[in-house]
Coordinates of all heavy atoms in Angstrom, one line a residue:
Chain B
K406 N -61.1 -39.5 37.7 CA -61.1 -40.9 37.8 C -61.4 -41.4 39.2 O -62.1 -42.3 39.5 CB -59.9 -41.5 37.2 CG -59.8 -41.6 35.7 CD -58.4 -42.0 35.3 CE -58.2 -41.6 33.9 NZ -56.7 -41.6 33.6
Q407 N -60.6 -40.7 40.1 CA -60.7 -41.2 41.5 C -62.0 -40.7 42.1 O -62.7 -41.5 42.9 CB -59.5 -40.6 42.3 CG -58.2 -41.4 41.9 CD -57.0 -40.8 42.5 OE1 -57.1 -39.8 43.1 NE2 -55.9 -41.4 42.3
D408 N -62.4 -39.5 41.9 CA -63.6 -38.9 42.6 C -64.8 -38.8 41.8 O -65.9 -38.4 42.2 CB -63.2 -37.5 43.1 CG -62.0 -37.5 44.0 OD1 -61.6 -38.6 44.5 OD2 -61.3 -36.5 44.1
G409 N -64.7 -39.1 40.5 CA -65.8 -39.0 39.6 C -66.2 -37.6 39.4 O -67.3 -37.3 38.9
G410 N -65.3 -36.7 39.7 CA -65.7 -35.3 39.4 C -65.3 -34.9 38.0 O -65.2 -35.7 37.1
T411 N -65.2 -33.6 37.8 CA -64.8 -33.1 36.5 C -63.4 -32.7 36.5 O -62.7 -32.6 37.5 CB -65.7 -31.8 36.1 OG1 -65.4 -30.8 37.1 CG2 -67.1 -32.1 36.1
C412 N -62.8 -32.6 35.3 CA -61.4 -32.2 35.2 C -61.2 -30.8 34.9 O -60.1 -30.3 34.9 CB -60.7 -33.1 34.1 SG -60.9 -32.5 32.5
G413 N -62.2 -30.0 34.6 CA -62.1 -28.6 34.4 C -62.0 -28.2 32.9 O -62.0 -27.0 32.6
I414 N -61.7 -29.2 32.0 CA -61.6 -28.9 30.6 C -63.0 -29.3 30.0 O -63.4 -30.4 30.1 CB -60.5 -29.7 29.9 CG1 -59.2 -29.5 30.6 CG2 -60.4 -29.4 28.4 CD1 -58.6 -28.1 30.5
L415 N -63.6 -28.3 29.4 CA -65.0 -28.4 29.0 C -65.2 -29.7 28.2 O -66.1 -30.5 28.4 CB -65.4 -27.1 28.2 CG -66.9 -27.0 27.9 CD1 -67.7 -26.9 29.2 CD2 -67.1 -25.8 27.0
E416 N -64.4 -29.8 27.1 CA -64.6 -30.9 26.2 C -64.4 -32.3 26.9 O -65.1 -33.2 26.6 CB -63.6 -30.8 25.0 CG -63.9 -29.6 24.1 CD -63.4 -28.3 24.6 OE1 -62.8 -28.3 25.7 OE2 -63.5 -27.3 23.9
I417 N -63.4 -32.4 27.7 CA -63.1 -33.6 28.4 C -64.2 -34.0 29.4 O -64.6 -35.1 29.5 CB -61.7 -33.6 29.0 CG1 -60.7 -33.5 27.9 CG2 -61.4 -34.9 29.8 CD1 -59.2 -33.3 28.4
D418 N -64.6 -32.9 30.1 CA -65.7 -33.2 31.1 C -67.0 -33.7 30.4 O -67.7 -34.6 30.8 CB -66.1 -31.9 31.8 CG -65.0 -31.6 32.9 OD1 -64.2 -32.5 33.2 OD2 -65.0 -30.4 33.3
A419 N -67.3 -33.1 29.2 CA -68.4 -33.6 28.5 C -68.2 -35.0 28.0 O -69.2 -35.8 28.1 CB -68.6 -32.7 27.2
L420 N -67.0 -35.3 27.7 CA -66.7 -36.7 27.3 C -67.0 -37.7 28.4 O -67.6 -38.7 28.3 CB -65.3 -36.8 26.8 CG -64.8 -38.2 26.4 CD1 -65.5 -38.7 25.2 CD2 -63.3 -38.2 26.1
L421 N -66.4 -37.3 29.6 CA -66.6 -38.2 30.8 C -68.1 -38.4 31.1 O -68.6 -39.5 31.4 CB -65.9 -37.6 32.0 CG -64.4 -37.7 32.0 CD1 -63.8 -36.9 33.1 CD2 -63.9 -39.1 32.1
E422 N -68.8 -37.2 31.0 CA -70.2 -37.3 31.3 C -70.9 -38.2 30.4 O -71.8 -39.0 30.8 CB -70.8 -35.9 31.2 CG -72.1 -35.7 32.0 CD -72.6 -34.2 31.9 OE1 -71.7 -33.3 31.7 OE2 -73.8 -34.0 31.9
A423 N -70.5 -38.0 29.1 CA -71.2 -38.9 28.1 C -70.9 -40.4 28.3 O -71.7 -41.2 28.2 CB -70.7 -38.5 26.7
M424 N -69.6 -40.6 28.8 CA -69.2 -42.0 29.0 C -70.0 -42.6 30.2 O -70.4 -43.7 30.2 CB -67.7 -42.1 29.3 CG -66.9 -42.0 28.1 SD -65.1 -41.8 28.5 CE -64.9 -43.4 29.2
Q425 N -70.2 -41.7 31.3 CA -70.9 -42.2 32.4 C -72.4 -42.4 32.1 O -73.0 -43.3 32.5 CB -70.8 -41.1 33.6 CG -69.4 -41.3 34.2 CD -69.1 -40.1 35.1 OE1 -69.9 -39.2 35.2 NE2 -67.9 -40.2 35.7

Side-chain angles (χ1 to χ4, degrees):
Chain B
K406 280 171 198 164
Q407 285 169 359
D408 306 337
T411 60
C412 82
I414 305 293
L415 190 64
E416 291 80 358
I417 294 174
D418 285 344
L420 176 65
L421 286 173
E422 202 177 330
M424 282 172 68
Q425 282 166 1

